[in-house]
Amino acid sequence: MVLGLCLGFDWNLVFKWDYMTAKERQSRVGHEIQPIRTPMIAGGLFSIEKKWFEEVGKYDMMMDVWGGENLEISFRVWQCHGSLEIIPCSRVGHVFRKQHPYTFPGGSGTVFARNTRRVAEVWMDDYKQFYFRAVPSAKGVYYGNIRERVELRKRLKCKSFKWYLHSVYPELKVPDKSDLAFGAIKQGLLCMDILGHTIEGTVGMFSCHDAGGNQEWSMTKYHRIKHQEYCMGFDSPQAGQPIKLKLCNPTDNLQKWKQINDAGLLQSWDHNLCIDSKDSKKTGLTVENCSANSESQIWEFTLDLP
């Protein structure tokens, strides 16, 4: 466990490490060994009172093999009146085998999808729609009978997933339901990044870190590509113009974009100009004449919200 980190997840329900905020890190100066509240834990590396572990539902025994149990137990503990903490001075040994001594029926991907679908159906309420947007294939996965887990949640008078997001994991940004797309804008292993810039600053590329922040964007229903209060735009309709962070102006069509989904292009609303990364190391992102054959113009949002 690296100090300054806790465990989280994204809407695809895949585990990730989250950095503490600067405020949280500052509050721990001189108190580095104090417990760290964490939205999620590993599914098999924890200490818990046996009696309460049994009362709160142990594991979901209808899950298959491996995967998703970390999410299930984390949501359940928090929503059912418990808490999760990382103890910085604790030591846990975890030895990985060279290969699994068991098999995954239908493949590990199918097993993981079944397990995470169970988590979503039992614990995420209406927010499960964002999981299905991130992982559309999960809609067709058979997830078994969840009646006992639903009854457990009712019996324990567990809180809503909305409460969990607000009180435990406010760092996980909830997409606006009216947005067309949300999250990081990816090109291979690199993502669009504001690189610390503000108004009239350029937009560049940086290794994807899946932590939001400088790499968090939304495509609004008004076809603006937004980062917080800024909109992505350019100054004049000419190839080679740099992409800049602008104060959002609803009358400025140079801040308006359309997704050409089949090709992955992000094209200016009124012009045959597309966002291009070919010169990103020198000048940042630019607009260039659109070409579906240009890999530097192919983009993918983390989460499409049609």
Side-chain angles (χ1 to χ4, degrees):
M1 175 67 203
V2 180
L3 294 182
L5 294 175
C6 56
L7 287 77
F9 61 93
D10 217 327
W11 288 110
N12 57 8
L13 297 187
V14 172
F15 155 88
K16 67 175 183 176
W17 291 104
D18 280 339
Y19 286 95
M20 288 183 184
T21 64
K23 182 178 179 181
E24 289 171 329
R25 291 196 301 272
Q26 182 61 34
S27 71
R28 294 181 60 80
V29 173
H31 308 281
E32 288 82 4
I33 65 173
Q34 292 300 307
I36 302 167
R37 278 170 42 113
T38 181
M40 196 172 79
I41 58 171
L45 305 175
F46 57 86
S47 174
I48 188 172
E49 185 183 66
K50 181 176 183 293
K51 183 174 183 291
W52 194 69
F53 179 65
E54 293 171 345
E55 289 177 0
V56 83
K58 302 179 181 178
Y59 286 107
D60 179 355
M61 299 307 292
M62 292 295 289
M63 282 187 169
D64 282 339
V65 193
W66 173 91
E69 75 287 343
N70 52 342
L71 294 153
E72 198 275 339
I73 198 168
S74 298
F75 294 168
R76 177 160 43 90
V77 166
W78 276 115
Q79 290 175 243
C80 303
H81 319 294
S83 63
L84 302 174
E85 295 179 337
I86 294 169
I87 309 301
C89 289
S90 66
R91 297 291 182 267
V92 178
H94 189 186
V95 179
F96 285 94
R97 295 182 175 98
K98 291 184 178 180
Q99 60 185 31
H100 295 297
Y102 41 78
T103 59
F104 293 84
S108 59
T110 299
V111 170
F112 182 75
R114 168 191 162 89
N115 292 348
T116 50
R117 173 82 189 268
R118 288 182 66 82
V119 174
E121 295 291 346
V122 175
W123 297 105
M124 293 181 68
D125 304 327
D126 289 343
Y127 291 90
K128 66 186 178 184
Q129 65 174 297
F130 300 124
Y131 165 60
F132 291 132
R133 298 294 191 192
V135 190
S137 60
K139 291 182 181 179
V141 172
Y142 174 73
Y143 56 94
N145 191 320
I146 59 173
R147 185 179 63 185
E148 287 187 5
R149 304 310 281 182
V150 171
E151 290 176 352
L152 171 73
R153 180 177 175 179
K154 291 179 180 177
R155 185 170 71 251
L156 295 176
K157 296 181 172 56
C158 302
K159 298 176 182 178
S160 67
F161 198 71
K162 180 179 181 179
W163 172 88
Y164 171 87
L165 291 173
H166 178 77
S167 302
V168 180
Y169 200 18
E171 296 80 11
L172 181 63
K173 179 78 179 294
V174 178
D176 188 316
K177 292 182 181 179
S178 67
D179 287 344
L180 304 177
F182 176 85
I185 306 178
K186 299 187 172 186
Q187 194 174 86
L189 298 177
L190 299 178
C191 286
M192 288 191 192
D193 196 303
I194 69 166
L195 302 174
H197 298 162
T198 57
I199 185 169
E200 294 299 319
T202 56
V203 178
M205 301 289 286
F206 197 79
S207 296
C208 297
H209 51 57
D210 299 320
N214 288 351
Q215 296 181 0
E216 188 169 271
W217 304 89
S218 62
M219 171 75 88
T220 74
K221 64 181 178 181
Y222 302 109
H223 300 278
R224 312 286 170 177
I225 301 178
K226 290 189 67 176
H227 174 81
Q228 297 178 0
E229 71 269 32
Y230 301 120
C231 284
M232 198 181 290
F234 54 105
D235 291 330
S236 62
Q238 299 171 343
Q241 283 286 302
I243 296 291
K244 294 182 179 180
L245 297 169
K246 302 279 190 178
L247 286 180
C248 296
N249 179 352
T251 66
D252 184 358
N253 274 11
L254 297 184
Q255 296 181 13
K256 196 172 181 181
W257 306 89
K258 51 190 172 184
Q259 289 178 281
I260 312 299
N261 288 326
D262 291 344
L265 302 177
L266 292 172
Q267 182 178 340
S268 174
W269 192 257
D270 290 333
H271 307 280
N272 185 40
L273 294 170
C274 289
I275 299 176
D276 197 304
S277 68
K278 68 184 180 67
D279 293 323
S280 61
K281 291 183 179 180
K282 298 178 182 178
T283 60
L285 301 182
T286 57
V287 287
E288 306 292 345
N289 294 319
C290 294
S291 171
N293 296 319
S294 176
E295 293 184 0
S296 59
Q297 293 184 13
I298 308 302
W299 305 96
E300 180 184 7
F301 270 92
T302 302
L303 191 61
D304 282 314
L305 302 168

